[in-house]
């Protein structure tokens, strides 16, 4: 699947690997001749753009800096040629015209996705929950919301729609009067002081100048790498504001330094690091809304345009392996293997590559024969689910080509239609740290199926890179080979000069490089967002006082009844500084544990598991986890290094339960 640009909008082309006609929808009002013309135009444009890319355009560079001519982009251009050759056997490409949204439509969609649709339209001002949500936003997040609401307001007025649009400035008035304190009560000056310690030489990236555009280049693999903590306590957009205010004088000096790509890491936190998959669905929904607002605020602060592409409803096959939407493919797979989160064909292709040994030189770079790949696609479609496909006939390089083909020809991109442009825009952010922060937020925003598949892909790519001494595939090489397969729609979608084509190639390779190298950070939910979710939960509980009083009254009655029944048992009372941990599925179902300064979640688990017997004794670390449930969080799986006393002070009303993670 590729995106091409046209005067009518964005053109989406898709084709089936078998070479058969594959209808993907479009303007059904077109006649046969016009549709044929569209196909020819799409094919012509694609070939024309590929030819331009293959020319390996020249570029200018800053005389004071190393640039990408010293870091050969040959693997990237070779991959483009391989993709072109593999598409030569494709027949009739169907073309879908995706019309550009009307003025204000993007902002309306943005507000809906952020859970703030009631800030405009007929239901404006109806939701108390949205007011609570808004009250927990940072300055920059509030400004991002205000900007979108004002745009929608102006658009509706132009259309003579008499909807009342609330002035969001009134909503945030109280925040502005709070002596410029951060959302967690820390003074702004303190925020800046804390942020300063995270800023170092390696945060400011050296730049490659292509025309008038600056681009952060890839860094040689052998360059020394330092470790830099990513500050997850403070809003990324607020950090960007503080950095702009405090680093104006330093900026020019920093630009003259070629800093190596740092080994970014998440600093340890006493209340525990929260990763994607650790939270209950109701809290994860809030995280995604906050991540969208935070990403938008970050782009606004840095002057980067963030445009979401509206998802396109297209006709696709409802069965098979290739050119199938991820969600449809997973539904199909789950009928075979319940609980599957990553497509079975995707898993099998990775497994087949690894069976051949990851030490193979040129792995992922050397393509399989195009004709053989076409035949394998057809055979897989017919025999995969029947279990009759002969995997021994699949050579290692063929399996790698099939894996890339699977990714490249998903009807909707792996990085999603909605956020693909935002991923591509990451290359325009001024520092590597800000690029990584944006990627972190974008990964959070991906649909579950896309995110899980991307994670499996990146983990596999890292295993390939771990064998680089023998397979000669460094992080840079893998990034350049994989970038066209994830970002090819942009590589082919810009009718532009040669310098811009080079920027696109180097930029997408750089993003792929960061995705692979910093993947551990990408699956972490920033602490400031988790804290905002906690505040929303707390505020929502306070707002519903009547229901809460009724619930508390019932709880008090139930507790009194329980205490009367069990007043002679040791479980009746929990002394000060002691928590009661429940483990309903273990033989020791409950245990009172004294809180100490050094007690960690791993210590709590160890105490329970050490007392298990029989079948339960086979439980190992990593099969069961300690959960924080209730209070100001729905449900949160704790990492081993969580200090229980610190977390208890943050959420004293929580319950503590040991259980396994849902599949």
């Amino acid at each position: 699947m590729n995106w091409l640009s046209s005067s009518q909008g964005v053109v989406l082309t898709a084709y089936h690997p078998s070479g058969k006609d594959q209808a993907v929808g479009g303007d059904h009002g077109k006649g046969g001749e016009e549709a044929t013309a569209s196909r020819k135009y799409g094919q012509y444009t694609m070939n024309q753009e590929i030819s331009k890319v293959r020319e390996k355009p020249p570029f200018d560079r800053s005389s004071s800096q190393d640039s990408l001519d010293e870091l050969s982009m040959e693997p990237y251009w070779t991959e483009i040629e391989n993709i072109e050759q593999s598409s030569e056997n494709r027949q009739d490409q169907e073309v879908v015209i995706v019309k550009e949204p009307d003025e204000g439509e993007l902002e309306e969609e943005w507000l809906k996705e952020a859970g703030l649709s009631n800030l405009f339209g007929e239901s404006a001002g109806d939701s108390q929950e949205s007011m609570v949500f808004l009250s927990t936003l940072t300055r920059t997040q509030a400004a991002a919301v205000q900007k979108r609401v004002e745009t929608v307001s102006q658009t509706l007025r132009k259309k003579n729609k008499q909807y009342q649009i609330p002035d969001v400035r009134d909503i945030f008035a109280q925040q502005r009067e709070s002596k410029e304190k951060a959302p967690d009560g820390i003074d702004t000056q303190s925020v800046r002081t804390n942020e300063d310690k995270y800023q170092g030489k390696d945060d400011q990236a050296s730049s490659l100048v292509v025309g008038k555009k600056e681009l952060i280049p890839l860094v040689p693999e052998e360059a020394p790498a330092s470790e830099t903590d990513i500050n997850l306590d403070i809003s990324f957009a607020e950090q960007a504001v503080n950095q702009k205010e405090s680093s104006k004088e330093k900026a020019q000096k920093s630009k003259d330094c070629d800093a190596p790509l740092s080994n970014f890491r998440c600093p340890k936190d006493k209340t525990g690091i929260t990763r994607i998959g650790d939270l209950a669905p109701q809290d994860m929904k809030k995280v995604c809304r906050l991540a969208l607002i935070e990403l938008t605020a970050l782009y606004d602060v840095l002057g980067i345009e963030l445009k979401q592409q509206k998802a396109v409803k297209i006709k696709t096959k409802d069965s098979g392996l290739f050119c199938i939407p991820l969600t449809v493919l997973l539904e199909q797979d789950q009928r075979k293997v319940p609980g599957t989160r990553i497509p079975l064909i995707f898993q099998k292709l990775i497994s087949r590559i690894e069976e051949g040994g990851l030490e193979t030189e040129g792995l992922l770079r050397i393509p399989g024969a195009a004709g053989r790949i076409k035949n394998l696609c057809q055979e897989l479609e017919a025999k995969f689910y029947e279990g009759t496909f002969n995997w021994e006939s699949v050579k290692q390089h063929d399996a790698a080509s099939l894996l890339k083909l699977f990714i490249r020809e998903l009807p909707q991109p792996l990085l999603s239609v909605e956020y693909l442009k935002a991923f591509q825009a990451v290359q325009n952010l001024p520092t590597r740290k800000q690029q990584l922060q944006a990627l972190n937020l974008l990964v959070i925003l991906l649909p579950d199926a896309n995110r899980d598949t991307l994670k499996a892909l990146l983990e596999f790519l890292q295993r390939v890179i771990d064998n680089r001494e023998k397979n000669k595939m460094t992080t840079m090489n893998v990034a350049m080979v994989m970038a066209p397969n994830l970002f090819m729609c942009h590589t082919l979608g810009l009718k532009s000069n040669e310098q811009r084509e080079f920027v696109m190639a180097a930029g997408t390779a750089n993003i792929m490089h960061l995705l692979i190298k910093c993947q551990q950070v990408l699956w972490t939910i920033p602490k400031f967002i988790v804290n905002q979710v906690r505040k929303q939960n707390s505020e929502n509980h306070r707002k519903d006082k009547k229901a809460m009083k009724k619930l508390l009254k019932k709880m008090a009655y139930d507790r009194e009844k329980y205490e009367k029944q069990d007043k002679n048992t040791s479980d009746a009372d929990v002394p000060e500084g002691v928590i009661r941990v429940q483990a309903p599925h273990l033989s020791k179902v409950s245990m009172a544990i004294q809180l100490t300064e050094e007690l960690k979640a791993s210590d709590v688990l160890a105490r329970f598991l050490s007392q298990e017997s029989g079948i339960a004794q086979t439980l190992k670390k990593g099969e069961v986890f300690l959960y924080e449930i209730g209070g100001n969080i729905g449900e949160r799986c704790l990492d081993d290094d969580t200090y229980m006393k610190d977390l208890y002070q943050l959420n004293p009303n929580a319950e503590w339960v040991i259980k396994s993670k849902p599949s």
Side-chain angles (χ1 to χ4, degrees), residues 421-548:
K421 285 187 177 180
F423 270 99
Q424 188 259 337
V426 166
Q427 65 179 300
N428 299 323
L429 302 184
T431 71
R432 291 192 182 94
K433 184 181 287 187
Q434 288 164 344
Q435 289 182 343
L436 183 55
Q437 289 170 337
L439 287 174
N440 179 205
L441 296 169
L442 283 164
V443 165
I444 290 172
L445 286 168
L446 286 176
D448 290 345
N450 298 60
R451 193 194 304 123
D452 292 338
T453 305
L454 176 64
K455 189 172 190 290
L457 173 65
L458 295 179
E459 289 173 346
F460 163 68
L461 295 180
Q462 185 57 57
R463 293 196 294 274
V464 172
I465 293 162
D466 289 341
N467 290 272
R468 58 186 172 275
E469 293 298 326
K470 293 185 178 179
N471 61 32
K472 310 302 181 187
M473 295 300 290
T474 64
T475 309
M476 268 193 303
N477 288 337
V478 171
M480 285 188 280
V481 167
M482 294 305 299
N485 294 284
L486 272 77
F487 293 95
M488 190 175 178
C489 51
H490 287 291
T491 305
L492 301 181
L494 291 174
K495 289 184 177 180
S496 56
N497 58 41
E498 293 176 342
Q499 287 185 338
R500 190 168 183 181
E501 295 290 357
F502 178 82
V503 169
M504 187 62 61
T508 55
N510 182 59
I511 296 166
M512 196 72 222
H513 189 264
L514 272 174
L515 284 170
I516 298 168
K517 192 170 182 64
C518 302
Q519 57 185 283
Q520 293 304 318
V521 176
L522 299 180
W523 264 260
T524 301
I525 301 175
K527 183 180 177 181
F528 71 88
I529 288 182
V530 177
N531 285 344
Q532 285 180 292
V533 171
R534 290 185 186 276
K535 288 178 184 178
Q536 287 177 31
N537 290 338
S538 297
E539 288 296 322
N540 283 327
H541 282 311
R542 285 196 202 100
K543 295 290 181 182
D544 200 3
K545 288 182 180 179
K546 289 184 180 180
M548 182 63 72

Side-chain angles (χ1 to χ4, degrees), residues 182-227:
D184 54 0
I186 303 173
D187 289 335
T188 305
Q189 185 61 42
S190 174
V191 170
R192 289 175 182 164
T193 303
N194 288 336
E195 174 53 20
D196 287 341
K197 73 180 181 181
Y198 290 98
Q199 295 175 11
K201 279 196 239 177
D202 48 10
D203 178 46
Q204 183 67 40
S206 59
S207 58
L208 165 70
V209 178
V210 183
K212 296 182 179 179
K213 180 180 178 64
E214 289 189 356
L215 176 70
I216 298 175
L218 297 172
V219 178
E221 202 74 24
E222 63 275 12
S226 59
E227 289 191 337

